[in-house]
Amino acid sequence: GINAEYGGTRATMKSALQMINPNADAVTNKGQALAINTAAAQGLAGVMRSNIGPTGTMKMLVDGAGEITLTKDGSHLLASMQIMHPTAQLISRAAAAQDDVVGDGTSSTVVFIGELLKQASRYLTEGVHPRLIADGFDVAKALALEYLETFKVAASANDREMLVSAARTALSTKVSGDLCDLLTDIVVDAILTIRQEDVPIDAHMVEIQCMKHRLGVDTKLIRGLVLDHGPRHPDMPSRVENAFIFTCSLEMEYEKTEVNSAWYYNTADQREKQIDAERSVVNRVVESVIALKKKVCDGTDKKFVVINLLGIDPLSLDMFAREGIMALRRAKRRNICLLYTSPSPRDS
């Protein structure tokens, strides 16, 4: 009896609403779809709202492998969340675009969109067409941009104090206070290091390497190129100054054939000859590099460093070590490209 009465009351209420405004979206299937989309946006905004500001709370993320991550970075949260609703996915993509272009404001974008849709739902229940609300958003955007043109303050890229303030504002919402003060100076100095006059800044020239055996407060800036490997021979020098750097992509190790093949020998002498023939191919390459070192370094105080994209076998490393050459193998191609963009790519 209660269910029947409740159902009848609901039907009466719906009829009353239709009589007042039969075009109101709140009582149509279209209105239900709009309500669901608005609820999805507000739900996503509710998750991100508590991230904003220095007092924002940390979120604990647990992936399928059981790995736990603590963060309040909106971009990382959106990338880690499995969002299924189409409207929420669109909002997530808009926030990702904000992060790609500006580098900050991800959480604010999600919260702002959620609040806009929340306010729009009030007008939808009154029968206002969604097209009119969207046009109102466009007018508001134009007015906001017009105001920002009068509100903005011109700043110089050489104003380090302004850059430090901007970096601190962005970092204070993502890390602790002590770490924020440390990273602020590091970020600003890194950008000023790669900055060139009349050339757009390429943020990819700043590489971040994670050392899992260290803490965040141990972070430091290296004004140069950091390779994640060193010489693989104990007799090679571990520190070289005033040196020529030779970058190459040469096979300095025995390379397997591209097709399946085999060779047979009847005596030990035939086996030794075959090994010498194979080894002579690599030795010729290594000896050519050593000859180049002698040509450019003999009679000077210059040292010589070899950075190879491919491998260098132990015998080749031993040959380089006897000549006092530091040889690095299997370097990243990206590091080689960065090396050529340094102010003095041939001397270091």
Short mmCIF file of all heavy atoms in Angstrom, two decimals, residues 272-318:
data_model
loop_
_atom_site.label_atom_id
_atom_site.label_comp_id
_atom_site.label_asym_id
_atom_site.label_seq_id
_atom_site.Cartn_x
_atom_site.Cartn_y
_atom_site.Cartn_z
N GLU A 272 91.18 -21.83 -34.32
CA GLU A 272 91.85 -20.58 -33.95
C GLU A 272 91.83 -19.59 -35.11
O GLU A 272 91.65 -18.37 -34.90
CB GLU A 272 93.30 -20.88 -33.53
CG GLU A 272 93.42 -21.66 -32.24
CD GLU A 272 92.88 -20.90 -31.05
OE1 GLU A 272 92.93 -19.65 -31.08
OE2 GLU A 272 92.35 -21.53 -30.12
N LYS A 273 92.00 -20.08 -36.32
CA LYS A 273 91.96 -19.18 -37.48
C LYS A 273 90.58 -18.57 -37.64
O LYS A 273 90.45 -17.39 -37.99
CB LYS A 273 92.35 -19.95 -38.74
CG LYS A 273 93.82 -20.33 -38.81
CD LYS A 273 94.11 -21.06 -40.11
CE LYS A 273 95.60 -21.42 -40.20
NZ LYS A 273 95.92 -22.13 -41.46
N GLN A 274 89.54 -19.38 -37.41
CA GLN A 274 88.19 -18.84 -37.53
C GLN A 274 87.92 -17.77 -36.48
O GLN A 274 87.32 -16.73 -36.75
CB GLN A 274 87.16 -19.98 -37.41
CG GLN A 274 85.71 -19.55 -37.55
CD GLN A 274 85.41 -19.02 -38.93
OE1 GLN A 274 86.02 -19.44 -39.92
NE2 GLN A 274 84.48 -18.07 -39.01
N ILE A 275 88.39 -18.03 -35.25
CA ILE A 275 88.19 -17.04 -34.18
C ILE A 275 88.95 -15.76 -34.49
O ILE A 275 88.44 -14.64 -34.31
CB ILE A 275 88.64 -17.63 -32.83
CG1 ILE A 275 87.71 -18.79 -32.43
CG2 ILE A 275 88.65 -16.56 -31.75
CD1 ILE A 275 88.13 -19.50 -31.16
N ASP A 276 90.18 -15.89 -34.99
CA ASP A 276 90.96 -14.70 -35.33
C ASP A 276 90.30 -13.91 -36.46
O ASP A 276 90.31 -12.67 -36.46
CB ASP A 276 92.38 -15.11 -35.74
CG ASP A 276 93.17 -15.67 -34.58
OD1 ASP A 276 92.78 -15.40 -33.42
OD2 ASP A 276 94.17 -16.40 -34.82
N ALA A 277 89.71 -14.62 -37.43
CA ALA A 277 89.04 -13.93 -38.54
C ALA A 277 87.82 -13.15 -38.04
O ALA A 277 87.56 -12.02 -38.47
CB ALA A 277 88.62 -14.94 -39.60
N GLU A 278 87.08 -13.74 -37.14
CA GLU A 278 85.93 -13.04 -36.58
C GLU A 278 86.37 -11.84 -35.74
O GLU A 278 85.79 -10.75 -35.81
CB GLU A 278 85.09 -13.99 -35.73
CG GLU A 278 84.36 -15.05 -36.52
CD GLU A 278 83.56 -15.97 -35.62
OE1 GLU A 278 83.86 -16.00 -34.39
OE2 GLU A 278 82.66 -16.66 -36.11
N ARG A 279 87.43 -12.05 -34.96
CA ARG A 279 87.89 -10.98 -34.07
C ARG A 279 88.51 -9.83 -34.83
O ARG A 279 88.43 -8.66 -34.40
CB ARG A 279 88.90 -11.57 -33.06
CG ARG A 279 89.36 -10.57 -32.02
CD ARG A 279 88.19 -10.14 -31.15
NE ARG A 279 88.45 -8.85 -30.52
CZ ARG A 279 87.56 -8.18 -29.83
NH1 ARG A 279 86.34 -8.66 -29.70
NH2 ARG A 279 87.85 -7.02 -29.28
N SER A 280 89.10 -10.11 -35.96
CA SER A 280 89.78 -9.07 -36.72
C SER A 280 88.81 -8.00 -37.21
O SER A 280 89.19 -6.83 -37.37
CB SER A 280 90.51 -9.69 -37.92
OG SER A 280 89.59 -10.30 -38.82
N VAL A 281 87.53 -8.37 -37.43
CA VAL A 281 86.53 -7.38 -37.86
C VAL A 281 86.32 -6.33 -36.78
O VAL A 281 86.30 -5.11 -37.06
CB VAL A 281 85.20 -8.09 -38.21
CG1 VAL A 281 84.14 -7.06 -38.59
CG2 VAL A 281 85.40 -9.09 -39.32
N VAL A 282 86.18 -6.75 -35.53
CA VAL A 282 85.98 -5.81 -34.43
C VAL A 282 87.27 -5.05 -34.15
O VAL A 282 87.25 -3.84 -33.87
CB VAL A 282 85.49 -6.56 -33.17
CG1 VAL A 282 85.32 -5.60 -31.99
CG2 VAL A 282 84.18 -7.27 -33.46
N ASN A 283 88.40 -5.72 -34.22
CA ASN A 283 89.67 -5.07 -33.92
C ASN A 283 89.96 -3.92 -34.88
O ASN A 283 90.53 -2.89 -34.48
CB ASN A 283 90.81 -6.08 -33.97
CG ASN A 283 90.80 -7.01 -32.76
OD1 ASN A 283 90.13 -6.73 -31.76
ND2 ASN A 283 91.54 -8.10 -32.84
N ARG A 284 89.59 -4.09 -36.14
CA ARG A 284 89.83 -3.02 -37.11
C ARG A 284 89.04 -1.76 -36.72
O ARG A 284 89.55 -0.64 -36.86
CB ARG A 284 89.44 -3.48 -38.52
CG ARG A 284 90.46 -4.38 -39.18
CD ARG A 284 90.22 -4.48 -40.68
NE ARG A 284 88.91 -5.03 -41.00
CZ ARG A 284 88.68 -6.32 -41.20
NH1 ARG A 284 89.68 -7.20 -41.10
NH2 ARG A 284 87.47 -6.74 -41.51
N VAL A 285 87.81 -1.93 -36.23
CA VAL A 285 87.02 -0.77 -35.82
C VAL A 285 87.65 -0.10 -34.60
O VAL A 285 87.80 1.13 -34.54
CB VAL A 285 85.57 -1.21 -35.51
CG1 VAL A 285 84.75 -0.03 -34.99
CG2 VAL A 285 84.92 -1.80 -36.75
N VAL A 286 88.04 -0.91 -33.62
CA VAL A 286 88.62 -0.36 -32.40
C VAL A 286 89.96 0.32 -32.70
O VAL A 286 90.25 1.42 -32.18
CB VAL A 286 88.79 -1.46 -31.34
CG1 VAL A 286 89.47 -0.93 -30.09
CG2 VAL A 286 87.44 -2.06 -30.98
N GLU A 287 90.77 -0.30 -33.52
CA GLU A 287 92.06 0.29 -33.86
C GLU A 287 91.90 1.60 -34.63
O GLU A 287 92.71 2.52 -34.49
CB GLU A 287 92.88 -0.71 -34.67
CG GLU A 287 93.37 -1.90 -33.85
CD GLU A 287 93.97 -2.99 -34.72
OE1 GLU A 287 93.94 -2.82 -35.96
OE2 GLU A 287 94.45 -3.99 -34.16
N SER A 288 90.83 1.72 -35.42
CA SER A 288 90.58 2.97 -36.13
C SER A 288 90.24 4.09 -35.14
O SER A 288 90.68 5.24 -35.30
CB SER A 288 89.44 2.79 -37.13
OG SER A 288 89.76 1.82 -38.10
N VAL A 289 89.47 3.77 -34.10
CA VAL A 289 89.14 4.76 -33.09
C VAL A 289 90.39 5.16 -32.31
O VAL A 289 90.61 6.35 -32.01
CB VAL A 289 88.05 4.23 -32.15
CG1 VAL A 289 87.77 5.22 -31.02
CG2 VAL A 289 86.77 3.93 -32.91
N ILE A 290 91.24 4.18 -31.99
CA ILE A 290 92.48 4.49 -31.27
C ILE A 290 93.40 5.35 -32.13
O ILE A 290 94.05 6.29 -31.64
CB ILE A 290 93.17 3.18 -30.85
CG1 ILE A 290 92.31 2.43 -29.81
CG2 ILE A 290 94.56 3.46 -30.29
CD1 ILE A 290 92.85 1.08 -29.43
N ALA A 291 93.42 5.08 -33.44
CA ALA A 291 94.25 5.90 -34.33
C ALA A 291 93.72 7.34 -34.38
O ALA A 291 94.51 8.29 -34.43
CB ALA A 291 94.25 5.28 -35.73
N LEU A 292 92.42 7.51 -34.34
CA LEU A 292 91.85 8.85 -34.31
C LEU A 292 92.24 9.57 -33.03
O LEU A 292 92.56 10.77 -33.04
CB LEU A 292 90.33 8.77 -34.43
CG LEU A 292 89.56 10.09 -34.30
CD1 LEU A 292 89.95 11.05 -35.42
CD2 LEU A 292 88.06 9.84 -34.29
N LYS A 293 92.21 8.84 -31.92
CA LYS A 293 92.61 9.44 -30.64
C LYS A 293 94.05 9.92 -30.69
O LYS A 293 94.38 11.04 -30.25
CB LYS A 293 92.39 8.42 -29.53
CG LYS A 293 92.77 8.92 -28.13
CD LYS A 293 94.12 8.43 -27.68
CE LYS A 293 94.45 8.91 -26.29
NZ LYS A 293 95.80 8.54 -25.84
N LYS A 294 94.93 9.11 -31.24
CA LYS A 294 96.33 9.51 -31.31
C LYS A 294 96.52 10.71 -32.24
O LYS A 294 97.36 11.58 -31.99
CB LYS A 294 97.17 8.32 -31.79
CG LYS A 294 97.23 7.17 -30.80
CD LYS A 294 98.07 6.03 -31.33
CE LYS A 294 98.15 4.89 -30.33
NZ LYS A 294 98.97 3.74 -30.84
N LYS A 295 95.72 10.77 -33.29
CA LYS A 295 95.85 11.87 -34.25
C LYS A 295 95.47 13.21 -33.64
O LYS A 295 96.12 14.23 -33.90
CB LYS A 295 94.98 11.57 -35.47
CG LYS A 295 95.05 12.64 -36.54
CD LYS A 295 94.17 12.26 -37.72
CE LYS A 295 94.21 13.35 -38.80
NZ LYS A 295 93.35 13.00 -39.97
N VAL A 296 94.43 13.25 -32.82
CA VAL A 296 93.94 14.52 -32.30
C VAL A 296 94.51 14.86 -30.92
O VAL A 296 94.46 16.03 -30.51
CB VAL A 296 92.40 14.51 -32.23
CG1 VAL A 296 91.80 14.33 -33.61
CG2 VAL A 296 91.89 13.43 -31.29
N CYS A 297 95.03 13.85 -30.21
CA CYS A 297 95.46 14.10 -28.84
C CYS A 297 96.97 14.10 -28.66
O CYS A 297 97.47 14.69 -27.69
CB CYS A 297 94.85 13.08 -27.88
SG CYS A 297 93.05 13.17 -27.75
N ASP A 298 97.72 13.44 -29.52
CA ASP A 298 99.17 13.39 -29.36
C ASP A 298 99.75 14.79 -29.47
O ASP A 298 99.39 15.58 -30.37
CB ASP A 298 99.79 12.47 -30.41
CG ASP A 298 99.58 11.01 -30.08
OD1 ASP A 298 99.01 10.73 -29.00
OD2 ASP A 298 99.92 10.14 -30.92
N GLY A 299 100.64 15.11 -28.55
CA GLY A 299 101.26 16.43 -28.53
C GLY A 299 100.44 17.48 -27.82
O GLY A 299 100.84 18.65 -27.77
N THR A 300 99.30 17.10 -27.26
CA THR A 300 98.45 18.03 -26.50
C THR A 300 98.13 17.42 -25.15
O THR A 300 98.49 16.26 -24.87
CB THR A 300 97.14 18.32 -27.26
OG1 THR A 300 96.35 17.12 -27.33
CG2 THR A 300 97.43 18.80 -28.68
N ASP A 301 97.47 18.21 -24.32
CA ASP A 301 97.05 17.70 -23.00
C ASP A 301 95.60 17.24 -23.02
O ASP A 301 94.98 17.08 -21.97
CB ASP A 301 97.22 18.79 -21.95
CG ASP A 301 96.42 20.05 -22.27
OD1 ASP A 301 95.95 20.16 -23.41
OD2 ASP A 301 96.30 20.90 -21.37
N LYS A 302 95.05 17.01 -24.20
CA LYS A 302 93.66 16.58 -24.34
C LYS A 302 93.49 15.10 -24.01
O LYS A 302 94.39 14.29 -24.27
CB LYS A 302 93.17 16.83 -25.77
CG LYS A 302 93.04 18.30 -26.16
CD LYS A 302 91.79 18.89 -25.57
CE LYS A 302 91.54 20.28 -26.13
NZ LYS A 302 90.28 20.87 -25.63
N LYS A 303 92.33 14.78 -23.44
CA LYS A 303 91.94 13.39 -23.19
C LYS A 303 90.93 12.97 -24.27
O LYS A 303 90.56 13.76 -25.14
CB LYS A 303 91.34 13.23 -21.80
CG LYS A 303 92.25 13.71 -20.68
CD LYS A 303 93.54 12.93 -20.62
CE LYS A 303 94.41 13.39 -19.45
NZ LYS A 303 95.69 12.66 -19.38
N PHE A 304 90.50 11.72 -24.22
CA PHE A 304 89.62 11.20 -25.26
C PHE A 304 88.54 10.34 -24.63
O PHE A 304 88.84 9.47 -23.78
CB PHE A 304 90.41 10.38 -26.28
CG PHE A 304 89.72 10.21 -27.60
CD1 PHE A 304 89.74 11.23 -28.54
CD2 PHE A 304 89.06 9.04 -27.92
CE1 PHE A 304 89.11 11.09 -29.78
CE2 PHE A 304 88.43 8.88 -29.14
CZ PHE A 304 88.45 9.92 -30.08
N VAL A 305 87.29 10.58 -25.02
CA VAL A 305 86.14 9.84 -24.51
C VAL A 305 85.35 9.31 -25.70
O VAL A 305 85.09 10.04 -26.67
CB VAL A 305 85.23 10.73 -23.63
CG1 VAL A 305 84.01 9.95 -23.15
CG2 VAL A 305 86.01 11.27 -22.44
N VAL A 306 84.96 8.05 -25.64
CA VAL A 306 84.16 7.41 -26.67
C VAL A 306 82.78 7.10 -26.09
O VAL A 306 82.67 6.45 -25.05
CB VAL A 306 84.82 6.11 -27.18
CG1 VAL A 306 83.91 5.41 -28.18
CG2 VAL A 306 86.17 6.42 -27.81
N ILE A 307 81.73 7.58 -26.77
CA ILE A 307 80.35 7.27 -26.37
C ILE A 307 79.71 6.56 -27.56
O ILE A 307 79.50 7.16 -28.62
CB ILE A 307 79.57 8.54 -26.00
CG1 ILE A 307 80.27 9.29 -24.87
CG2 ILE A 307 78.15 8.18 -25.60
CD1 ILE A 307 79.56 10.56 -24.45
N ASN A 308 79.39 5.29 -27.37
CA ASN A 308 78.89 4.45 -28.46
C ASN A 308 77.43 4.09 -28.20
O ASN A 308 77.04 3.73 -27.08
CB ASN A 308 79.73 3.18 -28.58
CG ASN A 308 79.43 2.41 -29.84
OD1 ASN A 308 78.87 2.95 -30.79
ND2 ASN A 308 79.79 1.14 -29.87
N LEU A 309 76.61 4.19 -29.25
CA LEU A 309 75.22 3.79 -29.14
C LEU A 309 75.06 2.28 -29.03
O LEU A 309 74.08 1.80 -28.45
CB LEU A 309 74.42 4.30 -30.35
CG LEU A 309 74.15 5.80 -30.41
CD1 LEU A 309 73.52 6.15 -31.75
CD2 LEU A 309 73.26 6.25 -29.28
N LEU A 310 76.00 1.54 -29.58
CA LEU A 310 75.93 0.08 -29.58
C LEU A 310 76.87 -0.47 -28.50
O LEU A 310 77.42 0.26 -27.69
CB LEU A 310 76.30 -0.44 -30.98
CG LEU A 310 75.45 0.11 -32.13
CD1 LEU A 310 75.92 -0.44 -33.46
CD2 LEU A 310 73.97 -0.17 -31.91
N GLY A 311 77.05 -1.79 -28.53
CA GLY A 311 77.82 -2.43 -27.47
C GLY A 311 79.32 -2.40 -27.72
O GLY A 311 79.79 -2.21 -28.85
N ILE A 312 80.06 -2.60 -26.64
CA ILE A 312 81.53 -2.72 -26.69
C ILE A 312 81.88 -3.94 -25.84
O ILE A 312 81.56 -3.99 -24.64
CB ILE A 312 82.23 -1.47 -26.14
CG1 ILE A 312 81.76 -0.21 -26.87
CG2 ILE A 312 83.74 -1.60 -26.25
CD1 ILE A 312 82.36 1.08 -26.33
N ASP A 313 82.53 -4.94 -26.45
CA ASP A 313 82.82 -6.17 -25.71
C ASP A 313 84.03 -5.97 -24.79
O ASP A 313 84.77 -4.98 -24.89
CB ASP A 313 83.03 -7.34 -26.68
CG ASP A 313 84.21 -7.10 -27.62
OD1 ASP A 313 85.02 -6.22 -27.34
OD2 ASP A 313 84.30 -7.81 -28.64
N PRO A 314 84.26 -6.89 -23.85
CA PRO A 314 85.36 -6.74 -22.88
C PRO A 314 86.73 -6.60 -23.52
O PRO A 314 87.57 -5.84 -23.02
CB PRO A 314 85.26 -8.01 -22.03
CG PRO A 314 83.82 -8.42 -22.13
CD PRO A 314 83.40 -8.06 -23.52
N LEU A 315 86.99 -7.32 -24.62
CA LEU A 315 88.31 -7.20 -25.25
C LEU A 315 88.53 -5.81 -25.83
O LEU A 315 89.62 -5.25 -25.73
CB LEU A 315 88.44 -8.26 -26.35
CG LEU A 315 88.45 -9.72 -25.87
CD1 LEU A 315 88.55 -10.67 -27.07
CD2 LEU A 315 89.61 -9.97 -24.91
N SER A 316 87.48 -5.23 -26.40
CA SER A 316 87.59 -3.88 -26.93
C SER A 316 87.76 -2.87 -25.79
O SER A 316 88.53 -1.90 -25.91
CB SER A 316 86.35 -3.54 -27.76
OG SER A 316 86.22 -4.43 -28.85
N LEU A 317 87.05 -3.08 -24.70
CA LEU A 317 87.22 -2.20 -23.54
C LEU A 317 88.65 -2.25 -23.01
O LEU A 317 89.22 -1.23 -22.61
CB LEU A 317 86.23 -2.59 -22.43
CG LEU A 317 84.75 -2.30 -22.69
CD1 LEU A 317 83.90 -2.89 -21.57
CD2 LEU A 317 84.50 -0.80 -22.79
N ASP A 318 89.23 -3.43 -23.03
CA ASP A 318 90.62 -3.57 -22.57
C ASP A 318 91.58 -2.81 -23.50
O ASP A 318 92.54 -2.18 -23.03
CB ASP A 318 90.98 -5.05 -22.51
CG ASP A 318 92.34 -5.29 -21.89
OD1 ASP A 318 92.50 -4.98 -20.69
OD2 ASP A 318 93.25 -5.76 -22.60
#
